[in-house]
Amino acid sequence: MKKSIVYAEMGNPWRFPSSYEVASCRIQFKDLHNFGKEGPLCGKLFINDIQLTIPDYDGFGGPIIKNNKYIYLPLYQMKTGNRSNSLRTYIVEIDISRKKYRLIGKRVEYAVVYLDFMVDDILYFYNSPMKNDKLLKYININSIYKPWSWKDRCSHFYHELLYFFHDLFS
């Protein structure tokens, strides 16, 4: 069986084209800025000069993966709390002809989503700024967004605590 492989567009989360042509539609990023301190770029997303907005989210990032009439890209959110700000990243699928979106999988634990390639229905990405085979993760694009389990929450809390103490004592 021949597998369908689709690679991400050129660039990385800090430097990618601000305009793409997909299925006779023009995809544009505008007002790009760093998400968080020195984080990846994010901004407003326009499809044929119509802005796609998702309430409570701060912006879309790149580079994108184009697959027929769908594009896949990171979606960033900054949650502000009483004690600290929490960076959240999601992977979103956008039907460019209908301008509809769908969150894929669950929230990614780190602020960087470096989309790499897609094989059939499996999307491969890094949640690290480095492209290292040991850090390669994947998700089935047919999975839908679901809230974190207690195990995920505890793992994330542990991860955040380690970074807090690392930053405090370095």
Side-chain angles (χ1 to χ4, degrees):
M1 181 172 116
K2 185 178 180 197
K3 294 187 177 197
S4 169
I5 301 176
V6 181
Y7 291 96
E9 293 296 308
M10 295 299 294
N12 61 51
W14 292 268
R15 175 179 270 152
F16 54 88
S18 61
S19 182
Y20 299 94
E21 290 293 325
V22 181
S24 72
C25 291
R26 190 172 65 181
I27 311 294
Q28 288 183 295
F29 290 94
K30 294 183 181 178
D31 300 330
L32 289 171
H33 61 281
N34 287 94
F35 179 70
K37 184 180 179 182
E38 300 176 9
L41 292 177
C42 74
K44 297 175 183 171
L45 182 70
F46 291 82
I47 301 173
N48 289 337
D49 298 322
I50 298 170
Q51 184 178 358
L52 180 69
T53 58
I54 301 178
D56 300 323
Y57 293 92
D58 295 309
F60 296 92
I64 68 172
I65 290 184
K66 303 185 291 188
N67 191 12
N68 299 326
K69 64 178 187 165
Y70 296 99
I71 60 171
Y72 300 89
L73 63 162
L75 176 65
Y76 298 102
Q77 179 184 40
M78 176 74 77
K79 286 295 238 186
T80 55
N82 292 343
R83 291 185 230 159
S84 66
N85 295 337
S86 173
L87 306 174
R88 297 183 177 181
T89 307
Y90 302 86
I91 297 175
V92 65
E93 172 188 77
I94 299 174
D95 181 338
I96 56 175
S97 60
R98 297 186 307 146
K99 296 172 187 61
K100 300 282 185 191
Y101 68 91
R102 178 175 70 95
L103 294 177
I104 297 174
K106 61 183 178 181
R107 175 169 54 125
V108 178
E109 198 169 322
Y110 307 101
V112 176
V113 173
Y114 198 137
L115 298 179
D116 197 28
F117 63 95
M118 196 164 104
V119 179
D120 295 328
D121 289 343
I122 307 296
L123 180 65
Y124 292 86
F125 65 95
Y126 300 91
N127 57 2
S128 164
M130 298 177 295
K131 287 179 100 175
N132 180 335
D133 289 342
K134 294 178 184 177
L135 302 172
L136 185 65
K137 303 202 177 287
Y138 65 90
I139 189 167
N140 188 322
I141 62 169
N142 297 317
S143 65
I144 58 171
Y145 171 74
K146 53 189 171 197
W148 276 25
S149 68
W150 279 106
K151 180 182 174 188
D152 293 333
R153 290 176 194 216
C154 291
S155 172
H156 180 69
F157 176 73
Y158 175 72
H159 168 75
E160 291 296 319
L161 200 59
L162 282 176
Y163 274 98
F164 172 77
F165 284 114
H166 179 268
D167 290 343
L168 188 64
F169 295 113
S170 19

